[in-house]
Amino acid sequence: MDSFEQEGNGAALESLPPPPPVPPDVVPIKAESDAKKIVRHPMARRGVGTKGQKVTILTNHFKVSVGSTDGHFYHYSVSLSYEDGRPVDGKGVGRKVIDRVHETYKNDLDGKNFAYDGEKSLFTIGPLPNNKLEFTVVLEDVAPTRNNGNASPDGQDSPNGRERKRLRRPYHSKTFKVEISYAAKIPMQAIQNALRGQESENSQEALRVLDIILRQHAAKQGCLLVRQSFFQDNQNNFTDIGGGVLGCRGFHSSFRATQGGLSLNIDVSTTMIIQPGPVVDFLLANQNARDPYSLDWNKAKRVLKNLRIKVSPSNQEYKITGLSEQLCKDQLFSMKQKNTKNENGEAETLEITIYDYFVNHRNIQLRYSADLPCINVGKPKRPTYIPIELCSLVSLQRYTKALSTFQRASLVEKSRQKPQERMNVLSNVLRTSNYGAEPMLKSCGVNINSNFTQVDGRILPAPRLRVGNGEDFFPRNGRWNFNNKKLVEPSRIERWAVVNFSAPRCDPNNIARDLIRCGEMKGIRIDPPFDIFNEMNQNRRLSPVVRVEKMFEQIQSKLPGAPQFLLCLLPDRKNSDLYGPWKRKNLSEYGIVTQCMAPARVNDQYLTNLLLKINAKLGGLNSMLTIEQTPSIPMISKVPTIILGMDVSHGSPGQSDVPSIAAVVSSRQWPLISRYRASVRTQSPKLEMVDSLFKPVSDKVDEGIMREALLDFYTSSGKRKPDQIIIFRDGVSESQFNQVLNKELDQVIEACKFLDENWNPKFVVIVAQKNHHTKFFQQGSPDNVLPGTVIDNKVCHPKNNDFYLCAHAGMIGTTRPTHYHVLLDQVGFSADDLQELVHSLSYVYQRSTTAISVVAPICYAHLAASQLGQFMKFEDASETSSSHGGVTAPGAISVPQLPRLKDNVSSSMFFC
């Protein structure tokens, strides 16, 4: 295929001097030829779609006009240090220091305004007087808030008063040295270029400067800044999600270059913060404890470290460094006696407890602190202790640990907003943020329109679906049901059993009986189960892995051979510890298809949904697109085509050493696009690119994911190789598009060449993004946009080939459209055909009877990654760290490998 074979740049080589001679003892290294290596860039849009019913849509982009475009932004790098030359590392100090520089040296700076990012970059409009400027400023109080009260709990004679005495002056005023040196200049014209689709380093930077101006504007109003979002300290925006954590509602704002010009995208966003107020109240909520005396102080120490507190009565602010070893009434420190001196004339010291000091020397009443540890705000070697009831957590401190299932559910539920409510909130924030008064925006001539931008949308018709008995129908409003319908390809269940780990209050006999009855209505013939295995009481206290082992011993002693299917009843709660070990045992040791359920309310609707999953896992199909059977999918039914969904999932924030999990699902049995299989691998933590698509371990053996997918496609599609490979990639940002197009796609091409040197399939690469802030609203209706709404104009990229699609019916909150970026299309789809394919792929998800918000292959990749990720949770590190056949680079951490699935389930939809 000639596009892979483009020539090198053909530079003239004649004029170069001859190369130096090679020393005799050097063994030449074979250079890889780069002549054929071309760098791919995201493709330009070829046209817009026309199909579907036209509709006017509003979006949360606000039009921005830029008055002056002939000036330059000047970029300066900022270096902050203390008097003694130590660099400043504290967060939040930078802005105060730079503000002070701005106030103090206005005249030396030609009265210029700054846009400062809080760290190392500062921008001005036009140049400062010199390329390098140095200033010295003094800040009176480096603690983040001014000190009002005069009696500080650790003043002159407090615990560690001596150290305080020495540090008193430097603590209450610190001197900073500031260096500002020229780094680059960015023409404002670059903004106009970006709007013409001429993306360059400069245009990205110019938009970044505008974003920094907005961030600084928010910082000046005391907001918490999290990337492009800001959060105000306002009780009305807080909502309790349990465990001492609050959801805090704020706003995202960013400038974007679009087809319609420059726009400001504003959206509601949410972050998690620590519940402000008394430290003890937070700890009680965090540990769900009855009273302060039943707290786990080791846990408390971990969760409190580095949080900021205010101490009463002084109102001074500190950072928590730890807890006292002993209780307040037992923790001693040496207090100097003012009036008694020893024979050397030095003040005598008295050993006294923290409790005694605060109650008797400071006359501060302590109700409950005596029997609790104190908070330490000093250095490890020189602690400063404060009784816990005098400490209150400061507001707007981010909570960055992973949320529990219940916290997450509560956050989702409480941060939902109906479209109309969201529009009102956004209009308000634009009014009250007063961007018109921001001096730097003024000097760029930036003006922000307060109306939602209008765009032209189209509503694509739902695809026709086929179910059992040759019946076709059209889903309505993105939904359908199987009432009075049979599944299109029902499976037959003959050898199966029920495994009951659950509480005795659910009757497995009834569940088995009802499942057989519901199966019959859907066309699935289910024989009576061989047996029902109830867990023995004495096993319930064992570890999850051992409980699963014991259960399998029971099953093996009773069943004549491996069952086709096991239904597993788990104890009634989400995220049962048994789930990972159970799935692992079934899929990777025995090759048994299994379905878990945690019965709460079991009715026919629940069992029907369960049967959809069971049927898909056992090789059946619930429904499919009619055009798959007729084969008439444009561009796909005529030429063997494989569809891939790729995703990488990472550990929760705070779990930096958990391997990332890459999942690739691939279609099989062409011309179908409803059946998939999955390959899953672990890779280095936080690595975003899939690194095991092609893994040659010798000249003949490739252990990569692509080989598995391609061979399965070949055997399941009548010995045909795919001539077209369509890749849907999830979870990458725009800055990573080039890596997807060059690194990942190169691996896929190499895997193809490894199988057959002469095979040149055509590629389509599409990235799907859900993590963005563009929302759409129906004009004149309080409801969400209709399923099938597609937008490929005005708020899309000025040049690149992207579109937004809301395939699903948003039932609650405001619909989040999926943003599809077509990075490469060698097949030559028309805009309509490609949008229709993506829309259709939102209707082939076998687990539900609704259109889903992102194409099914990507959803399946999520499912496969999270299911096999559960395998890892109960691993014994020693048995998993063998690097599976691959070579571990010296010094690299070897990543534990997932156990391989048994052949008979590896090509099934086990993840369904």
Side-chain angles (χ1 to χ4, degrees):
M1 186 171 220
D2 44 327
S3 64
F4 292 157
E5 311 292 339
Q6 277 189 10
E7 291 305 300
N9 52 13
L13 299 175
E14 291 79 30
S15 56
L16 295 177
V22 178
D25 56 345
V26 168
V27 180
I29 299 168
K30 185 169 185 290
E32 289 184 20
S33 157
D34 268 356
K36 292 183 181 172
K37 178 97 181 96
I38 59 156
V39 177
R40 303 178 195 89
H41 295 290
M43 68 180 285
R45 180 181 279 102
R46 291 184 185 142
V48 293
T50 55
K51 283 190 179 166
Q53 174 199 334
K54 293 193 170 30
V55 56
T56 302
I57 300 280
L58 296 177
T59 173
N60 59 341
H61 283 240
F62 299 87
K63 193 160 177 41
V64 177
S65 55
V66 184
S68 70
T69 56
D70 42 4
H72 284 80
F73 290 121
Y74 278 70
H75 178 188
Y76 293 88
S77 64
V78 176
S79 150
L80 303 179
S81 54
Y82 295 109
E83 246 174 325
D84 59 7
R86 282 179 305 131
V88 173
D89 50 1
K91 270 216 183 325
V93 182
R95 285 190 191 277
K96 293 199 169 76
V97 173
I98 293 297
D99 283 348
R100 178 54 53 89
V101 166
H102 197 250
E103 286 162 31
T104 318
Y105 297 99
K106 217 178 189 112
N107 297 339
D108 301 319
L109 299 164
D110 286 358
K112 284 237 182 299
N113 287 312
F114 288 169
Y116 176 52
D117 71 352
E119 293 188 10
K120 295 201 164 32
S121 290
L122 180 151
F123 299 88
T124 57
I125 296 171
L128 292 173
N130 295 311
N131 278 353
K132 189 159 189 183
L133 296 158
E134 294 187 9
F135 303 105
T136 304
V137 291
V138 176
L139 287 189
E140 290 70 43
D141 178 18
V142 183
T145 49
R146 298 268 177 260
N147 177 17
N148 329 3
N150 45 15
S152 122
D154 43 8
Q156 210 45 50
D157 54 352
S158 77
N160 252 344
R162 283 167 301 171
E163 166 222 32
R164 284 280 155 240
K165 194 171 202 172
R166 247 196 8 257
L167 282 181
R168 190 144 208 179
R169 196 198 62 79
Y171 183 79
H172 289 296
S173 68
K174 271 202 169 131
T175 304
F176 295 89
K177 292 205 300 219
V178 183
E179 270 186 23
I180 297 176
S181 38
Y182 170 77
K185 66 177 183 174
I186 304 151
M188 289 190 195
Q189 185 61 41
I191 296 174
Q192 300 303 325
N193 296 350
L195 302 178
R196 286 199 291 273
Q198 298 166 347
E199 290 263 348
S200 66
E201 198 62 3
N202 274 340
S203 56
Q204 290 297 325
E205 280 292 288
L207 293 179
R208 184 175 147 231
V209 178
L210 295 180
D211 283 337
I212 287 170
I213 296 172
L214 291 190
R215 280 175 60 86
Q216 175 173 281
H217 185 70
K220 288 207 162 110
Q221 293 162 4
C223 293
L224 162 70
L225 304 181
V226 182
R227 291 187 296 279
Q228 296 294 127
S229 299
F230 53 90
F231 303 88
Q232 290 153 338
D233 189 3
N234 178 343
Q235 294 288 324
N236 300 338
N237 294 343
F238 300 164
T239 167
D240 188 352
I241 61 168
V245 181
L246 308 181
C248 172
R249 195 174 76 192
F251 299 96
H252 162 93
S253 64
S254 62
F255 286 98
R256 310 208 44 96
T258 66
Q259 280 166 296
L262 190 62
S263 70
L264 179 63
N265 176 206
I266 301 185
D267 193 20
V268 177
S269 71
T270 306
T271 194
M272 280 73 67
I273 61 169
I274 299 271
Q275 169 186 313
V279 170
V280 166
D281 292 358
F282 163 69
L283 289 175
L284 291 175
N286 184 249
Q287 298 187 16
N288 197 9
R290 286 187 315 283
D291 55 54
Y293 308 107
S294 48
L295 287 168
D296 172 339
W297 291 102
N298 281 329
K299 253 191 196 164
K301 188 173 172 177
R302 281 199 301 276
V303 76
L304 290 176
K305 192 167 169 57
N306 291 334
L307 292 180
R308 299 195 318 277
I309 50 168
K310 263 206 176 123
V311 171
S312 67
S314 70
N315 235 6
Q316 187 75 356
E317 203 173 289
Y318 300 97
K319 193 186 254 186
I320 298 177
T321 51
L323 298 173
S324 60
E325 294 294 316
Q326 289 166 314
L327 303 178
C328 185
K329 63 179 186 197
D330 303 325
Q331 182 70 50
L332 293 165
F333 77 101
S334 310
M335 183 173 82
K336 281 188 179 171
Q337 300 288 78
K338 280 185 187 156
N339 306 329
T340 56
K341 296 199 165 41
N342 61 15
E343 59 268 23
N344 299 337
E346 291 169 353
E348 284 201 358
T349 58
L350 176 70
E351 288 292 302
I352 176 176
T353 67
I354 305 285
Y355 182 80
D356 190 7
Y357 165 75
F358 275 89
V359 172
N360 299 325
H361 292 258
R362 296 283 304 281
N363 298 325
I364 294 173
Q365 287 309 305
L366 295 177
R367 295 195 321 275
Y368 57 80
S369 291
D371 295 307
L372 303 176
C374 302
I375 299 277
N376 178 13
V377 295
K379 298 275 184 291
K381 294 252 166 58
R382 292 189 153 169
T384 300
Y385 295 124
I386 302 168
I388 200 161
E389 71 191 75
L390 301 181
C391 302
S392 275
L393 288 160
V394 174
S395 191
L396 291 187
Q397 299 192 71
R398 283 184 75 198
Y399 178 79
T400 52
K401 299 186 174 51
L403 295 182
S404 70
T405 312
F406 300 107
Q407 285 174 321
R408 184 172 286 114
S410 171
L411 181 68
V412 167
E413 186 188 339
K414 291 176 174 170
S415 49
R416 278 183 196 137
Q417 286 175 314
K418 286 269 178 231
Q420 207 55 53
E421 184 193 350
R422 188 174 285 248
M423 286 182 81
N424 295 339
V425 167
L426 293 178
S427 293
N428 273 338
V429 74
L430 198 55
R431 246 202 330 279
T432 56
S433 60
N434 196 8
Y435 287 139
E438 161 52 54
M440 284 201 72
L441 290 181
K442 255 192 181 146
S443 20
C444 310
V446 165
N447 197 355
I448 300 165
N449 190 322
S450 57
N451 298 327
F452 286 75
T453 297
Q454 261 193 19
V455 296
D456 300 325
R458 290 170 290 115
I459 301 167
L460 301 178
R464 192 207 282 272
L465 294 185
R466 174 153 297 180
V467 286
N469 301 338
E471 183 190 342
D472 286 357
F473 67 95
F474 284 107
R476 296 177 53 126
N477 198 24
R479 313 177 74 74
W480 64 98
N481 62 43
F482 277 108
N483 296 351
N484 315 321
K485 293 185 179 70
K486 300 261 193 282
L487 305 183
V488 67
E489 285 183 25
S491 47
R492 171 105 173 77
I493 305 178
E494 293 166 327
R495 304 183 318 284
W496 71 291
V498 181
V499 169
N500 181 20
F501 287 106
S502 186
R505 60 197 180 81
C506 86
D507 183 352
N509 289 297
N510 288 348
I511 288 177
R513 192 191 60 230
D514 290 344
L515 195 70
I516 293 170
R517 178 176 53 78
C518 285
E520 201 176 336
M521 298 192 303
K522 299 289 151 271
I524 299 178
R525 291 210 17 228
I526 308 177
D527 291 352
F530 263 131
D531 211 333
I532 287 171
F533 297 95
N534 290 304
E535 184 175 32
M536 296 173 189
N537 281 344
Q538 70 265 32
N539 291 348
R540 289 205 177 147
R541 291 195 170 64
L542 302 170
S543 75
V545 176
V546 178
R547 288 173 71 181
V548 169
E549 290 286 347
K550 296 272 188 212
M551 182 60 85
F552 262 93
E553 285 168 18
Q554 260 178 280
I555 296 171
Q556 279 172 306
S557 67
K558 290 263 191 81
L559 290 187
Q564 179 190 2
F565 168 68
L566 288 174
L567 180 67
C568 173
L569 311 185
L570 290 173
D572 166 8
R573 67 166 191 273
K574 252 188 162 14
N575 293 352
S576 167
D577 289 350
L578 290 160
Y579 182 85
W582 173 255
K583 286 283 182 192
R584 177 181 177 151
K585 196 86 177 153
N586 279 276
L587 295 173
S588 69
E589 288 185 36
Y590 292 106
I592 298 171
V593 172
T594 165
Q595 175 64 49
C596 294
M597 59 188 282
R601 287 194 308 275
V602 177
N603 53 21
D604 280 12
Q605 178 65 55
Y606 179 93
L607 291 172
T608 301
N609 286 341
L610 207 64
L611 281 162
L612 294 181
K613 296 165 76 169
I614 294 168
N615 188 48
K617 286 175 179 175
L618 286 169
L621 266 185
N622 303 326
S623 60
M624 64 197 301
L625 305 174
T626 305
I627 52 174
E628 289 180 79
Q629 276 199 324
T630 47
S632 54
I633 307 171
M635 316 295 284
I636 285 179
S637 299
K638 305 286 178 282
V639 179
T641 304
I642 186 171
I643 296 176
L644 306 174
M646 295 188 187
D647 183 39
V648 177
S649 69
H650 307 292
S652 320
Q655 292 181 302
S656 55
D657 51 348
V658 175
S660 292
I661 295 184
V664 177
V665 306
S666 52
S667 62
R668 50 204 311 267
Q669 295 183 4
W670 174 82
L672 296 189
I673 59 170
S674 285
R675 278 194 202 281
Y676 293 85
R677 72 183 296 281
S679 295
V680 184
R681 302 275 200 282
T682 48
Q683 56 185 45
S684 307
K686 305 279 178 270
L687 176 66
E688 191 47 79
M689 292 297 125
V690 182
D691 78 346
S692 45
L693 293 167
F694 176 55
K695 264 230 159 91
V697 288
S698 72
D699 289 351
K700 297 276 185 291
V701 184
D702 162 20
E703 290 193 342
I705 293 178
M706 278 311 301
R707 182 185 176 89
E708 270 178 44
L710 295 168
L711 290 177
D712 176 82
F713 180 90
Y714 183 75
T715 51
S716 68
S717 307
K719 301 263 187 291
R720 287 190 190 82
K721 273 188 279 201
D723 288 326
Q724 298 176 158
I725 297 180
I726 300 178
I727 298 171
F728 285 96
R729 178 68 162 93
D730 189 28
V732 288
S733 61
E734 288 174 44
S735 60
Q736 296 162 320
F737 286 178
N738 284 337
Q739 282 177 288
V740 170
L741 270 181
N742 294 293
K743 287 194 174 156
E744 286 185 345
L745 183 56
D746 274 352
Q747 282 190 64
V748 176
I749 292 169
E750 285 185 70
C752 294
K753 291 280 181 214
F754 198 86
L755 280 167
D756 175 355
E757 186 55 47
N758 302 315
W759 171 34
N760 285 317
K762 292 182 174 175
F763 289 94
V764 177
V765 179
I766 302 173
V767 168
Q769 288 176 336
K770 295 276 305 219
N771 202 2
H772 59 82
H773 287 278
T774 297
K775 299 285 192 303
F776 296 113
F777 306 91
Q778 284 198 60
Q779 197 171 25
S781 159
D783 297 330
N784 269 312
V785 294
L786 294 170
T789 300
V790 65
I791 283 118
D792 59 5
N793 60 75
K794 215 142 183 194
V795 289
C796 290
H797 192 279
K799 178 181 95 199
N800 294 356
N801 189 357
D802 64 332
F803 62 92
Y804 291 92
L805 174 66
C806 303
H808 64 301
M811 305 309 286
I812 36 188
T814 305
T815 299
R816 180 184 295 224
T818 299
H819 191 183
Y820 291 99
H821 302 259
V822 186
L823 303 187
L824 178 70
D825 172 13
Q826 297 173 335
V827 170
F829 278 95
S830 69
D832 278 324
D833 283 347
L834 196 57
Q835 289 167 12
E836 212 149 11
L837 171 66
V838 170
H839 187 223
S840 297
L841 283 169
S842 308
Y843 277 83
V844 300
Y845 189 57
Q846 297 298 309
R847 282 165 53 117
S848 71
T849 55
T850 59
I852 52 176
S853 63
V854 67
V855 290
I858 281 180
C859 283
Y860 289 147
H862 280 301
L863 288 175
S866 69
Q867 191 170 121
L868 269 80
Q870 297 286 332
F871 281 21
M872 305 290 288
K873 281 197 179 161
F874 302 93
E875 290 284 62
D876 171 54
S878 61
E879 59 171 326
T880 60
S881 56
S882 64
S883 136
H884 175 92
V887 184
T888 307
I893 316 156
S894 77
V895 175
Q897 296 294 323
L898 289 165
R900 288 299 172 93
L901 304 187
K902 279 276 186 267
D903 288 349
N904 56 331
V905 288
S906 66
S907 290
S908 73
M909 290 178 66
F910 67 85
F911 42 79
C912 225

